[in-house]
């Protein structure tokens, strides 16, 4: 019998390996950028043509290669990053398999130019389908430039399977995003078909997120930081109210390596549970730093999966870290006693004692769903002030014997009667007592929350009550806005607007929601359109959420508005009947509770 087993030539072996490592232009982008990072570059420029099909070029100012290394780097399993088996358990570099360049060269025409600082000139090597075609010396700056042309030129099946240029470009941008996010101290650019798409300056993670996703992310992010012995978590989560309908901004990294991890993703989703509508997704940009010995990244060639030695521990720490970030944001008092001049008197000083105030234990409803149909509000979760709980005597304990202090908060005369339950401070904050202490409510934010939930319900049930306008106003728009408004008509009608299109660009406002009584309906609708336009392209917030948010922000009572005691009581009652009483639709904390014992001290 004759022997039949043959060793495959390298070029064939490389092509087979390439099938795994390089699936599309974006995979080559990832490998080349990671090599540049591993080379210690501080500036990395990516240039692509035809979504990478015609050309991918990565220019770095890293350590460069010697002539021998430049030749060797195209060999399979040629790597400078590990040399023995134990190294596999201490990987700090992005690459380590020594497969990428061999794979790319097997299926493309690659030109490498590289120079080390200590060398006078660089070397240029052209490698096509694993065959070195050219090797010359070239003058160049220190660093490395890889140019990959005609990817899959010798694998037509692969080439034909590539998706549309737009789809392939999306993949490239996604890889670019993953690499650049975790390396904010490095400058990056991405140029596509001659147009610069990204120019990212060195900075911190927050600046990098803003550079990638837009400067409006400044206000959307909450910092996360959690250190423990074996695990350290750092990064940002996107505030609950900016959660998106698409699984867009979910970025997990382990030791700066992008990973997908359903179980850990669940830890975050769970931490956000009652804050985000069921069909929205939390956004996050988090890096989990662990001892490389505690993970196994050697399980998949494209390396987006990672095995943790103790994944339960990581889950618990991650969950706690995100909870803490959300909690700190929601509970940080928006009423800043140090900054509000009017509050900065002995009255607030009496409350601002040397002891740290204990944060209220905020009851959260795990079943919260703003789209829930049934309109039965939950039982208020706070302690109603008991009739006999406080008398003017109680207040005197607070103020000592000084009767001159609370002049601003008190309505004249009748509010000093024993029936006083609610005080207005600075015409902006409602102060009342609850079992555990003093409740201080921001009236504007409280009303915004109440209206927000009301509008959401109306939008769901189309039962907004409208008020007939005696003199219908005309709202004239440009063609674009007019067609947008038309898109929104069903929702607006649900809220109580009665609009009639008089001509292609003019609408008559025949009725407005009762909550908008006395408000400039034209301005309100223009504001709604504006926000709709911004959010449609940017937040992709649900249209209803968006509408309810705009309406509630516009129509809620403002700070510096005097309220009667009855109005204050109603507002506080309505607030605590809300599904989420603690934060306003824009994420700001609505109230604080100042511990009574501390006040007495
Ligand atoms: P790996 O990154 O897994 O080591 P690659 O095939 O991606 O394997 O690269 C092979 C080797 O080529 C690397 O180990 C490194 O020594 C060298 N190399 C690749 N790209 C660069 C670069 N941009 N700058 C300097 N050296 C590089
Ligand atoms: Mg590599």
């Amino acid at each position: 019998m004759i022997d039949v087993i043959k060793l495959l030539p390298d070029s064939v072996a490389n092509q087979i390996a390439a099938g795994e490592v390089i699936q599309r232009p974006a995979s080559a982008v990832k490998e080349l950028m990671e090599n540049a990072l591993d080379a210690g570059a501080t500036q990395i420029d990516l240039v692509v043509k035809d979504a990478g099909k015609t050309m991918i070029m990565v220019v770095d100012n890293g350590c460069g290669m010697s002539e021998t290394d430049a030749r060797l780097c195209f060999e399979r399993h040629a790597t400078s990053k590990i040399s023995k088996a134990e190294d596999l358990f201490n990987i700090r570099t992005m690459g380590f398999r020594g497969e990428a360049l061999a794979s790319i060269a097997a299926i493309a025409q690659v030109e490498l130019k590289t120079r080390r600082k200590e060398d006078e000139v660089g070397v240029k090597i052209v490698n096509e389908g694993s065959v070195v075609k050219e090797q010359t010396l070239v003058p160049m700056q220190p660093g490395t430039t890889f140019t990959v042309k005609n990817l899959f030129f010798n694998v037509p099946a692969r080439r034909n399977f590539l998706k549309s240029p737009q789809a392939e470009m999306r993949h490239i941008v996604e890889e670019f995003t993953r690499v650049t996010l975790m390396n904010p101290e490095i400058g990056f650019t991405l140029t596509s078909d001659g147009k610069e798409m990204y120019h990212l300056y060195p900075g911190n993670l927050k600046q990098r997120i803003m550079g990638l996703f837009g400067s409006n992310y400044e206000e959307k992010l909450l910092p996360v930081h959690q250190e423990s012995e074996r695990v350290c978590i750092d990064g940002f989560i996107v505030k609950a109210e900016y959660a998106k309908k698409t699984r867009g901004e979910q970025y997990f990294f382990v030791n700066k390596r992008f990973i997908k991890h359903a179980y850990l993703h669940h830890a975050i989703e769970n931490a956000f549970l009652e804050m985000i509508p069921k069909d929205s997704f939390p956004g996050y940009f988090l890096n989990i730093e662990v001892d490389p010995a505690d993970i196994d990244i050697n399980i998949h060639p494209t390396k987006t999966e990672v095995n943790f030695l103790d994944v339960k521990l990581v889950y618990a720490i991650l969950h706690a870290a995100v909870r803490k970030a959300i909690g700190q944001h929601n509970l940080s008092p928006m009423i800043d006693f140090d900054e509000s001049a009017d509050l900065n008197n002995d009255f607030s000083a009496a409350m601002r004692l040397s002891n740290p105030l204990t944060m209220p234990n905020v009851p959260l409803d795990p079943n919260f769903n703003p789209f829930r149909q049934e309109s039965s509000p939950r039982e208020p979760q706070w302690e109603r002030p008991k009739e006999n709980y406080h008398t003017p005597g109680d207040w005197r304990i607070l103020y000592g014997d000084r009767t001159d202090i609370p002049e601003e908060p008190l309505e004249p005369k009748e509010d000093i009667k024993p029936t006083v339950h609610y005080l207005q401070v600075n015409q902006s904050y409602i102060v009342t007592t609850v079992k555990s202490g003093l409740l201080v409510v921001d009236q504007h934010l409280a009303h915004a929350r109440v209206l927000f939930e009301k509008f959401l319900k109306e939008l769901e049930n189309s039962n907004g009550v409208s008020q007939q306008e005696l003199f219908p106003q005309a709202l004239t728009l440009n063609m674009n806005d007019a067609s947008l408004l038309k898109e929104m008509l069903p929702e607006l009608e649900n809220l109580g607007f009665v609009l009639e299109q008089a001509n292609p660009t003019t609408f008559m406002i025949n009725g407005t929601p009762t909550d908008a009584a006395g408000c400039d309906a034209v301005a309100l609708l223009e504001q709604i359109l504006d926000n709709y336009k911004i959010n449609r392209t940017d937040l992709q917030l649900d249209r209803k959420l968006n509408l309810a948010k705009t309406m509630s922000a516009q129509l809620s009572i403002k700070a510096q508005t005097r309220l009667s005691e009855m109005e204050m009581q109603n507002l506080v009652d309505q607030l605590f009947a809300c599904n989420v009483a603690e934060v306003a639709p824009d994420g700001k904390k609505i109230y604080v509770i100042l511990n009574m014992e501390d006040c007495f001290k």
Side-chain angles (χ1 to χ4, degrees), residues 31 35 81 95 100:
E31 295 296 340
N35 279 349
K81 296 164 194 174

Side-chain angles (χ1 to χ4, degrees), residues 492-507:
L492 291 170
E493 275 163 15
N494 287 351
L495 283 170
F497 281 102
V498 183
L499 300 173
E500 184 193 348
Q501 188 158 17
N503 63 47
T505 54
T506 306
F507 293 81

Side-chain angles (χ1 to χ4, degrees), residues 467-475 498-500 507-512 521-522:
Q467 176 178 288
Q468 199 79 21
E469 293 284 310
L470 270 184
F471 305 102
Q473 292 189 74
L475 173 66
V498 183
L499 300 173
E500 184 193 348
F507 293 81
M508 299 310 293
I509 308 172
N510 295 329
T512 51
V522 171

Side-chain angles (χ1 to χ4, degrees), residues 31-32 35-36 38-39 60 62-65 69 73-75 78-81 94-102 114 143-144 146 303:
E31 295 296 340
L32 294 175
N35 279 349
D38 286 343
D60 72 54
C63 64
M65 283 179 262
D69 283 351
C73 73
F74 292 108
E75 298 295 322
T79 178
S80 55
K81 296 164 194 174
M94 300 305 291
F96 58 89
R97 296 163 169 270
E99 272 181 333
L101 292 180
T114 187
T144 301
F146 271 101
K303 292 172 283 191

Side-chain angles (χ1 to χ4, degrees), residues 230-259:
R230 297 201 77 85
V231 184
C232 187
I233 293 167
D234 254 307
F236 291 90
I237 50 176
V238 177
K239 290 178 190 167
E241 62 271 24
Y242 296 111
K244 288 193 175 183
K245 293 275 165 189
T246 51
R247 263 179 203 279
E249 291 133 18
Q250 303 186 332
Y251 292 94
F252 258 139
F253 301 86
V254 171
N255 296 349
K256 300 195 173 180
R257 183 188 301 276
F258 178 83
I259 60 155

Side-chain angles (χ1 to χ4, degrees), residues 190 233 491:
L190 167 51
I233 293 167
E491 276 98 351

